[in-house]
Amino acid sequence: MLNRRHIRIKVMQTIYAFKGGEGDNFKAEQTFLLRSLDNMFNLYLLLLSLLIELQKRSADHLAKTQKKHLATSEDKNPNSKFINNEVLLQLKNNVLLQETLQDEKITNWELDNEYVDVIFKALLSSDLYKEYMQTRTSDFKEDKNFIVDVFKEIIAPNDKLYDYLQDQNLTWTDDLPVVNTAILKIIRKLKPSSPEKHLLPELYKDDDDRAFALDLFKKTILNQNKLNQAISEKTKNWDADRIADIDNVLLQMAICELTNFPSIPVKVTINEYLEIAKEYSTPKSSIFINGILDKLVREYEEADKLNKTGRGLM
């Protein structure tokens, strides 16, 4: 679920917030980094559980409708297609998922159920829902496509839900696009025969990704003086105050990655940090960073300092 670019972003944010120097203890920042990464999984669980809550909310709504004092024939025999949606039932009846929600104490919607109501009302008023409910039966494929569309068109873009998630955890703002993409991917691949584990993906692709996050953070912090010197030598015509703090952090990380991670291709490193700069820094930052890194790479190649291993890594 967690990709290398997002790992770099998390490391960037942690280093940016770090106020110490090479010799200072950065255990608290390292703990913050790991917690920030791990909290992505809780965001995933929270949004997945929202789908379950919508199913429960719909079931309660139908039950109340049937008990109306002046219930119509339609009220007494409501269309239960949504609450019987096979994907929603698969989520609701997934024992492993339910146990994980309990273990991680994902109880937000019990405490803040007004946000479930917000999404439920948006669902009921949508053309997507009205079209889906025109019939009373469906197959797994239709049910799955509908839930994908509900998540993509109603849940993911909801401003009130976004504000709520931001209030719950500030780092979730940056995590949301990655988590939303992961949920859509997992639901699209869901089958009636899928094992329960399918709905609980690993946060890291492998152990190397977690190690990469820690190594990149520690090696950047522990070599800040050396990295800053390399930046300074290539920005002699620049006033230090004109270099954005984020740009300086990105340059530190990029140079650290170029010189300390032999298995990562040079082009991958440069492209990743240019894309992060476009998203998180000034409009001209990517051009500035590209110019500095290009000079350094040529210099390192001439001095044989890149030490890249494997074919095609230059």
Side-chain angles (χ1 to χ4, degrees):
M1 181 165 65
L2 190 58
N3 58 53
R4 283 283 178 106
R5 179 176 298 174
H6 204 63
I7 289 174
R8 290 180 176 96
I9 290 170
K10 291 286 192 181
V11 173
M12 174 200 72
Q13 291 169 335
T14 306
I15 294 174
Y16 180 77
F18 179 65
K19 302 303 180 184
E22 282 186 11
D24 294 305
N25 188 332
F26 50 80
K27 186 176 180 180
E29 286 75 16
Q30 182 174 300
T31 300
F32 171 82
L33 171 62
L34 291 176
R35 187 181 296 120
S36 177
L37 290 164
D38 291 343
N39 274 338
M40 277 189 66
F41 189 63
N42 285 341
L43 176 59
Y44 169 84
L45 291 173
L46 183 60
L47 289 174
L48 207 60
S49 68
L50 179 55
L51 289 170
I52 298 173
E53 293 303 317
L54 286 176
Q55 193 273 349
K56 293 179 182 178
R57 181 69 179 77
S58 181
D60 290 343
H61 178 70
L62 257 64
K64 290 176 182 177
T65 299
Q66 289 175 305
K67 293 178 181 179
K68 284 168 58 176
H69 179 62
L70 297 174
T72 65
S73 57
E74 185 178 349
D75 291 333
K76 293 177 181 178
N77 184 30
N79 187 347
S80 57
K81 183 177 178 179
F82 180 73
I83 63 173
N84 290 324
N85 181 286
E86 291 187 55
V87 172
L88 294 180
L89 292 177
Q90 198 166 346
L91 291 172
K92 182 182 177 182
N93 298 327
N94 187 308
V95 176
L96 186 58
L97 175 59
Q98 293 299 331
E99 289 176 349
T100 304
L101 291 172
Q102 289 181 359
D103 291 343
E104 298 299 327
K105 297 179 174 57
I106 307 298
T107 58
N108 298 57
W109 308 129
E110 295 176 18
L111 303 172
D112 302 313
N113 56 19
E114 65 267 26
Y115 291 95
V116 179
D117 289 338
V118 166
I119 299 297
F120 184 64
K121 289 176 182 177
L123 173 67
L124 292 183
S125 63
S126 69
D127 292 336
L128 181 67
Y129 179 81
K130 292 171 184 175
E131 182 178 344
Y132 176 73
M133 297 296 285
Q134 284 181 356
T135 62
R136 286 178 172 258
T137 59
S138 59
D139 56 20
F140 188 85
K141 183 179 179 181
E142 182 186 350
D143 284 351
K144 181 169 68 174
N145 289 339
F146 173 69
I147 296 302
V148 166
D149 289 340
V150 166
F151 192 88
K152 188 169 58 175
E153 297 179 22
I154 296 174
I155 295 177
N158 188 276
D159 289 336
K160 290 184 178 179
L161 179 62
Y162 178 88
D163 291 341
Y164 171 76
L165 295 173
Q166 187 177 41
D167 289 341
Q168 293 301 300
N169 190 317
L170 191 59
T171 65
W172 279 354
T173 304
D174 292 306
D175 297 339
L176 201 53
V178 178
V179 172
N180 284 342
T181 299
I183 288 176
L184 288 171
K185 182 178 180 181
I186 284 165
I187 294 177
R188 284 188 177 114
K189 290 186 176 181
L190 191 66
K191 299 177 182 178
S193 59
S194 292
E196 290 192 335
K197 183 68 177 175
H198 175 80
L199 291 170
L200 294 167
E202 296 293 335
L203 178 60
Y204 299 96
K205 185 178 65 176
D206 50 43
D207 291 339
D208 289 345
D209 278 356
R210 188 178 188 277
F212 171 71
L214 285 173
D215 286 347
L216 181 58
F217 172 70
K218 288 190 287 188
K219 288 178 180 179
T220 302
I221 292 293
L222 291 172
N223 292 284
Q224 275 189 329
N225 290 339
K226 182 180 177 181
L227 296 168
N228 284 334
Q229 184 179 351
I231 296 169
S232 179
E233 289 175 356
K234 292 293 174 286
T235 56
K236 290 179 180 179
N237 296 326
W238 283 73
D239 184 344
D241 292 336
R242 289 179 57 205
I243 302 175
D245 290 341
I246 286 287
D247 293 354
N248 199 60
V249 171
L250 291 175
L251 282 169
Q252 289 176 2
M253 291 171 61
I255 297 167
C256 177
E257 195 171 305
L258 286 169
T259 54
N260 291 279
F261 293 81
S263 65
I264 301 177
V266 170
K267 288 183 179 179
V268 168
T269 294
I270 293 176
N271 288 340
E272 287 290 280
Y273 287 100
L274 293 184
E275 290 303 313
I276 294 172
K278 289 175 184 177
E279 185 174 354
Y280 287 89
S281 197
T282 66
K284 294 182 179 180
S285 289
S286 61
I287 299 172
F288 168 69
I289 290 172
N290 187 49
I292 302 301
L293 294 180
D294 185 58
K295 292 176 184 177
L296 283 169
V297 166
R298 280 190 273 115
E299 184 179 294
Y300 291 156
E301 286 175 343
E302 291 172 2
D304 197 24
K305 288 184 178 180
L306 284 177
N307 191 32
K308 294 294 180 180
T309 59
R311 299 178 64 183
L313 292 182
M314 300 299 288

